[in-house]
Amino acid sequence: MVTDDLVVAVRPSGRRTRITTRFVTQHTRRRRHTPATWLRGGGLSALVFALPAIFVFGWFSWLPIVKSVVMSFQKTNLIVTTWVGLANFHRVLADPLLPIAIRNTLWFALLALVFGFPVPLVAAVLMSEVRRWKGLYSVLAYLPVVIPPVVAVLLWKFFYTPGPRGVFNQLLGSVHLGPVLWLQDKAIVMPALVLEATWAAAGGTIIIYLAALTSVPAELYDAAEVDGASVWGKVWHVTMPHLRGVLFVTFILQILATAQVFNEPYLFTGGGPSNRTLTVLLLIYNYAFGTSLGGRYGEATALSVMLAVVLAILSVLYFRLTRRWSTS
Amino acid sequence: MRSSRTTALGMAGALAIGLLAACSSTGSPTSPTTPADAGPTTPAAAAPVTITVAGNLPGASQENNDQLDARVKEFEAKYPNITIQPEEYQWLATTFTAQLAGGTLPTVFEIPVTDGKTLIENKQLANIDAQVKANLSYYNDFNPAIVGYGQDSSGTFFAVPAKNFYANALHINRNLFKQAGLDPDKPPTTWDEVRQDAKIIHDKTGVYGFGQMGNGATGGWQIAVDVDSRGGALEKANADGTYTATLTDPAVKASLQWLASLAADGSIDPDTSLDWSGINAAFASGQFAMFTSGSDVYNAMVQTNNMTADWGYGLTAVPTENGGAALGGGTLAAVKANATDAEKDAAVKWIDFWYLSKLRDKDQAVADAKVAVAAKQPVGTPVLPIFSKSQYEQSLVWIKDYINVPLENMKGYTDVMFSQPVGGEPKMATQAVYQLLSPVFQAVLTDKTANIDKLLADANVQAQDAIDHPAAS
C-alpha cells in the first residue's frame, strides 16, 4: 500500500495537494486495468527496456536449466536421443560411487565450515581493530580472490608436491618433519584441499564482514567499555549481534558453495586417491565428460537435478528456521 | 524528452533484435550444410575454401609453431584456393565429446583408433570415401591391421590412419641410470629388473625410479599396458558377440601387486594425478627415471617440455612375459560431420600433405624433414608403420641425413619393435573400463592395506555394467 508520505518523499519538490490527487487517480486507474492503460502507463517501454535482459537471462540461464531437466529423462549422446523415463535417476541412485561422492562432499563441507567459516570472521574482527595499515591488510586478504582459481590451484599443487622437493615439505624438512604426501595420503588430502579453498575464498568473506563491521555504532563499544565489558564481551555482545544477519547469509552461501565444490578436487586430484576426493559435482562431470564417446549426459543431468532440489529444500528450510533470529 | 525516450526505445529494441539475430545466425552446431553421408560430388576445383585443422599441442614451442606455419605456406602455395587455419589441438577424453557435440572441433581433427568405430556408427564423422579415393592414390596400401579402425563395415572411409601408430614402450632417464651406477645401454628387460633398477635409482639418487599415470582414464590405460605385457586382458569376447569384463584376470592382479611392491620400496612416484601430458612434464623435469607410454612421446616432450637430444633420453621395449604384448595405439585423422564436399576435399588434401605424403614421397619426406630440423623439431622418432614395414624403412632412408633424435639411445626399442607382438585395447566401453581401474591403481599406490582382490572384484562388476550399458547409443 502506497502512502502519501512515501509519495512526498519520492518527489520532495512537488506540491502536496496535487500529488495526493494524482495518487488517487492512479489508484482508480489501476482497478480498470486494460492493455490500453498498460500501454499508456509506460508498460511497453518497460518491456522493451527489459527485453535484452530477459532474453539474455532466459537464453543463457533458464533455457539450459529447462533443457537439463528434460535431458534427465533421456538417454542421449547429443546426436541420438531416446526417452528413458526415470531410468537415469535409478542408475544414479544405484551407482556405488554416489554414496562415496556424497560422503566426500559432506566431509569437505564440514571441514570448510569448521575451518573456513570462522577464519574470515576472526580475521575481519582483528583487522577492524587495527589502526594502521588497514588498507594493506585488506589488500593482502583479498589478493587470493583476484588470482584466477585455476592458477591458484596450480600454484598450491606446486606447494603440495610430494617428496622432499615440495615447497611445504621443504619447510617441514627444515624442522625435521615430513615429507607429507599432501595429495596422496587418504587422510590428509581433503584437509589439504580445504586449506587451499579457505585461502582462496576467505578474502571475499572478510571484505563482507569488514563492511558489516563499519555499520556497528562506535557509541555501543564506548557504552560497553563504560559498563566494564572485556574485549571478548564487546565482540560477543556488540559485534556479533550486528553481524548476525550477514553471518546467516554467508553461512548458507558457504553451504551452497561447498556442496558444489569442483575446482579443487578436479584440478588437484581428479577425485583421487582412490575416490577420496570424488565430490558430487565431480561425479556429475565424470558422467558427462569422463569418456570420449558420448558421455552419460542423462545421468549427469539427473544427478544435477537431484542436487539442485536438495539444495533448494535446504535453503528454504534454513531461511525458515533462521528467519526469526536473523531479523531480530 | 519524448525524442530521447523514442531513441532509447529504439536502441533497446535494436539491441534485442541484434541479440536474437546473433544467436539465430549461429545456427545449430550439428546441423550439416551438406549431409554427412550424402554421396560424393565433385567439388569445384578452384572454388576458394577455408578449413581449420588440428595443429600443435597446447603449449607448443615457437619453433614447433614455425614448422607448422612453414608447411601451411607450402600447402597453400600448392593449392592456392585452399586456406588452412591451424588450431591448437590435443585429444582429451574429457573435452572431446563436448567439442564434438558443440561443433567446435576443427574441420580436420585427430582421434584415437579405439574411438573410430563408435564415432562412425554415431554418424559423428564425415564420409570421406570419395575424397580419399580421389586424392590418396595409395589408399589400398594402408597397413591392413589398422586401416579398418577408420572404416565402416562396408569398407567406406570415414577416417584414415595418420600421424603415428605406436606400441607402448619404456622411457628412461639415462642420466639417472648413470648416477645410480646402472648402465643405460643395458636397460631392464623384465618387470623384476625394472623394479630392481627403480629401487637402486631411488636409493642412490633420492629420485623416484618409476612413475605411472593415474588420472582419469589414463590410469586404466597404463594398467592395460601392464596387463597386456603379462599376457592378460581386461575383456574377453564371447562367441555370441557379447563381451565379459575380466578385471579379475591374474595378470591384472599381478600388475597391481608389482606396483604395490614398488610403493613398498618407496621407488615409485606417489603422485597419482599425472595424466598423459602431466607425466611427460614430470619425466622431463627429472621427477622420476622410468615410465611407460607410447613410443612416440619423445616428440611431445621436445615440442612442449623443452627436451633436447642431449637431455639423456632413452627408449626401450616394455618387458613382456607369459606371451604378453606391448599395447598398441594410434591416431586417425577425421573430418567434421557437417563439412561440405569442398571442405572434405581440402581436408583430405591436407591430411595427405601434413600426415602421409612424407611417408610416401621422397620429395615431401625431405621437405618436411628440412622444415622440422630448421625448427629444431624431432625427426625420426620410432613409430609403427602406417603402411608397410618396407615403406616405413624406405621413408627413414630418405630422411636419414635429417634424423636428429638420439636413435642410439633407443636401440632397446628399435631392435625389437618389429618382432615384439603388439596388443589391442579393450574393445567395449574402453574409456569407462580404464576409468574404473584408475582408483584401484591409486588405492594400491597410497594404501599399504589395500585389498587388491576386493578392489578388482568391485571394479569388475562396474566394468561389466559399463559394457552392458554403453553410454552412447
Side-chain angles (χ1 to χ4, degrees):
Chain A
M1 183 67 187
V2 180
T3 65
D4 286 354
D5 289 342
L6 183 58
V7 173
V8 171
V10 173
R11 300 185 178 178
S13 61
R15 283 168 292 187
R16 194 178 184 87
T17 308
R18 188 177 167 187
I19 289 167
T20 305
T21 306
R22 184 177 292 172
F23 166 73
V24 169
T25 308
Q26 283 178 346
H27 193 73
T28 309
R29 277 179 186 169
R30 198 172 292 150
R31 267 187 267 154
R32 293 188 286 106
H33 194 76
T34 64
T37 59
W38 175 78
L39 202 62
R40 278 198 297 273
L44 182 62
S45 308
L47 183 64
V48 172
F49 275 111
L51 206 55
I54 291 172
F55 173 77
V56 170
F57 194 70
W59 187 268
F60 293 108
S61 291
W62 282 103
L63 188 62
I65 290 173
V66 171
K67 281 194 166 186
S68 296
V69 173
V70 170
M71 195 182 282
S72 67
F73 299 101
Q74 296 173 331
K75 180 179 182 180
T76 179
N77 60 11
L78 303 181
I79 294 192
V80 182
T81 300
T82 52
W83 291 91
V84 294
L86 294 172
N88 289 326
F89 293 88
H90 291 153
R91 281 186 62 77
V92 168
L93 292 172
D95 188 344
L97 289 177
L98 182 62
I100 294 172
I102 292 173
R103 186 190 66 200
N104 291 339
T105 306
L106 291 175
W107 180 226
F108 183 94
L110 181 68
L111 286 173
L113 281 179
V114 169
F115 299 108
F117 192 62
V119 166
L121 182 59
V122 172
V125 170
L126 289 176
M127 286 166 62
S128 69
E129 294 296 321
V130 172
R131 296 281 179 258
R132 299 181 65 196
W133 307 107
K134 192 180 266 189
L136 177 66
Y137 291 127
S138 299
V139 168
L140 288 176
Y142 198 70
L143 205 54
V145 182
V146 179
I147 298 174
V150 174
V151 175
V153 170
L154 292 179
L155 188 68
W156 277 70
K157 203 171 181 179
F158 182 64
F159 296 163
Y160 282 146
T161 301
R165 289 170 23 148
V167 174
F168 285 163
N169 280 339
Q170 283 185 11
L171 292 174
L172 288 175
S174 65
V175 290
H176 306 291
L177 292 175
V180 174
L181 299 176
W182 299 97
L183 301 175
Q184 291 75 37
D185 188 316
K186 290 178 182 176
I188 295 173
V189 61
M190 196 62 98
L193 264 57
V194 170
L195 182 64
E196 188 278 338
T198 303
W199 171 85
T205 320
I206 287 174
I207 296 297
I208 293 172
Y209 288 149
L210 278 174
L213 283 168
T214 57
S215 68
V216 182
E219 303 87 59
L220 291 180
Y221 289 111
D222 296 339
E225 274 188 14
V226 170
D227 289 343
S230 62
V231 173
W232 170 248
K234 284 192 286 184
V235 169
W236 186 252
H237 294 292
V238 179
T239 308
M240 294 302 282
H242 276 86
L243 286 184
R244 195 155 54 189
V246 174
L247 283 172
F248 283 133
V249 172
T250 54
F251 187 80
I252 190 66
L253 288 177
Q254 171 109 349
I255 289 176
L256 293 176
T258 52
Q260 299 177 72
V261 62
F262 175 77
N263 283 351
E264 284 79 11
Y266 175 69
L267 293 167
F268 270 123
T269 61
S274 200
N275 293 326
R276 282 303 173 105
T277 55
L278 178 73
T279 59
V280 172
L281 226 64
L282 189 53
L283 183 60
I284 291 170
Y285 174 84
N286 284 342
Y287 282 151
F289 304 113
T291 66
S292 58
L293 292 172
R296 294 152 69 184
Y297 299 112
E299 289 159 56
T301 48
L303 184 51
S304 301
V305 168
M306 286 192 276
L307 177 65
V309 169
V310 168
L311 291 180
I313 292 171
L314 191 70
S315 303
V316 170
L317 282 176
Y318 178 82
F319 277 110
R320 288 212 166 183
L321 286 171
T322 59
R323 183 185 296 162
R324 195 161 52 86
W325 307 335
S326 59
T327 53
S328 64
Chain B
M1 177 71 186
R2 183 159 190 85
S3 160
S4 62
R5 186 179 169 185
T6 308
T7 307
L9 266 171
M11 288 173 68
L15 177 59
I17 292 164
L19 280 166
L20 280 164
C23 287
S24 61
S25 64
T26 306
S28 167
T30 53
S31 59
T33 50
T34 299
D37 50 359
T41 59
T42 306
V49 58
T50 299
I51 58 168
T52 51
V53 299
N56 290 326
L57 293 169
S61 64
Q62 187 56 50
E63 289 84 359
N64 193 201
N65 291 326
D66 290 344
Q67 176 202 11
L68 176 58
D69 290 344
R71 291 294 282 165
V72 167
K73 280 180 186 166
E74 288 173 16
F75 179 84
E76 289 176 343
K78 186 175 181 183
Y79 301 105
N81 65 315
I82 302 174
T83 302
I84 299 291
Q85 293 179 344
E87 294 179 356
E88 276 191 347
Y89 184 83
Q90 180 181 5
W91 182 91
L92 289 172
T94 48
T95 54
F96 178 76
T97 322
Q99 288 179 294
L100 186 68
T104 57
L105 284 169
T107 313
V108 179
F109 55 94
E110 298 162 3
I111 54 172
V113 288
T114 44
D115 284 2
K117 290 287 188 189
T118 310
L119 291 170
I120 293 168
E121 286 170 15
N122 289 349
K123 302 185 188 305
Q124 290 167 309
L125 305 181
N127 179 343
I128 53 172
D129 196 62
Q131 290 76 19
V132 166
K133 287 170 181 170
N135 291 291
L136 309 184
S137 57
Y138 48 83
Y139 70 89
N140 275 325
D141 298 341
F142 282 117
N143 184 341
I146 57 177
V147 69
Y149 287 111
Q151 294 173 312
D152 67 7
S153 54
S154 67
T156 302
F157 279 99
F158 286 80
V160 291
K163 198 172 185 178
N164 44 34
F165 274 73
Y166 61 83
N168 274 269
L170 185 67
H171 308 264
I172 66 171
N173 181 329
R174 291 170 58 87
N175 293 333
L176 286 172
F177 268 67
K178 288 176 188 168
Q179 286 174 34
L182 298 168
D183 183 358
D185 292 324
K186 291 179 183 170
T189 55
T190 67
W191 286 116
D192 283 343
E193 287 179 9
V194 173
R195 180 189 172 187
Q196 286 166 18
D197 288 358
K199 188 171 188 318
I200 291 169
I201 289 167
H202 183 248
D203 291 347
K204 294 276 179 66
T205 67
V207 177
Y208 295 113
F210 196 78
Q212 186 149 320
M213 299 174 217
N215 196 338
T218 62
W221 174 47
Q222 285 304 299
I223 294 293
V225 172
D226 300 338
V227 171
D228 254 36
S229 74
R230 289 175 171 85
L234 300 178
E235 290 176 1
K236 184 182 74 177
N238 301 315
D240 61 356
T242 61
Y243 282 79
T244 302
T246 55
L247 271 56
T248 50
D249 185 307
V252 185
K253 184 180 178 182
S255 300
L256 291 164
Q257 282 175 325
W258 181 83
L259 289 162
S261 69
L262 263 73
D265 292 342
S267 58
I268 185 169
D269 189 335
D271 190 350
T272 57
S273 67
L274 297 170
D275 56 11
W276 183 83
S277 54
I279 205 163
N280 291 346
F283 177 77
S285 68
Q287 197 168 308
F288 44 78
M290 293 180 275
F291 79 108
T292 52
S293 189
S295 67
D296 61 334
V297 296
Y298 175 76
N299 291 346
M301 288 192 280
V302 171
Q303 288 160 356
T304 59
N305 304 120
N306 298 320
M307 189 174 273
T308 53
D310 58 355
W311 182 88
Y313 171 84
L315 181 69
T316 191
V318 160
T320 52
E321 56 193 49
N322 298 327
L327 188 73
T331 303
L332 301 171
V335 179
K336 272 168 76 164
N338 61 357
T340 63
D341 284 340
E343 287 171 339
K344 286 194 279 186
D345 189 66
V348 172
K349 282 187 166 72
W350 171 252
I351 290 169
D352 172 50
F353 183 85
W354 175 241
Y355 297 105
L356 300 173
S357 64
K358 59 189 173 189
L359 302 173
R360 303 282 314 174
D361 180 86
K362 183 180 179 183
D363 292 341
Q364 283 299 319
V366 171
D368 184 78
K370 267 185 183 173
V371 171
V373 168
K376 296 176 184 169
Q377 296 306 297
V379 175
T381 303
V383 290
L384 295 177
I386 285 179
F387 297 101
S388 64
K389 183 187 171 191
S390 59
Q391 178 71 53
Y392 173 74
E393 288 171 339
Q394 177 64 63
S395 70
L396 289 181
V397 170
W398 291 334
I399 59 167
K400 66 178 170 34
D401 293 338
Y402 302 96
I403 290 177
N404 57 6
V405 300
L407 279 180
E408 67 280 7
N409 297 340
M410 301 179 178
K411 283 180 66 65
Y413 178 71
T414 53
D415 286 350
V416 301
M417 62 184 283
F418 290 113
S419 58
Q420 186 179 44
V422 177
E425 296 187 88
K427 288 192 166 49
M428 295 298 292
T430 313
Q431 301 286 338
V433 172
Y434 285 169
Q435 277 215 321
L436 289 165
L437 276 169
S438 291
V440 180
F441 163 72
Q442 293 165 359
V444 167
L445 230 59
T446 57
D447 183 2
K448 288 175 183 168
T449 62
N451 184 336
I452 294 176
D453 287 325
K454 184 175 187 317
L455 289 168
L456 287 177
D458 291 347
N460 198 54
V461 172
Q462 294 177 61
Q464 189 61 55
D465 184 60
I467 291 169
D468 295 340
H469 300 93
S473 53

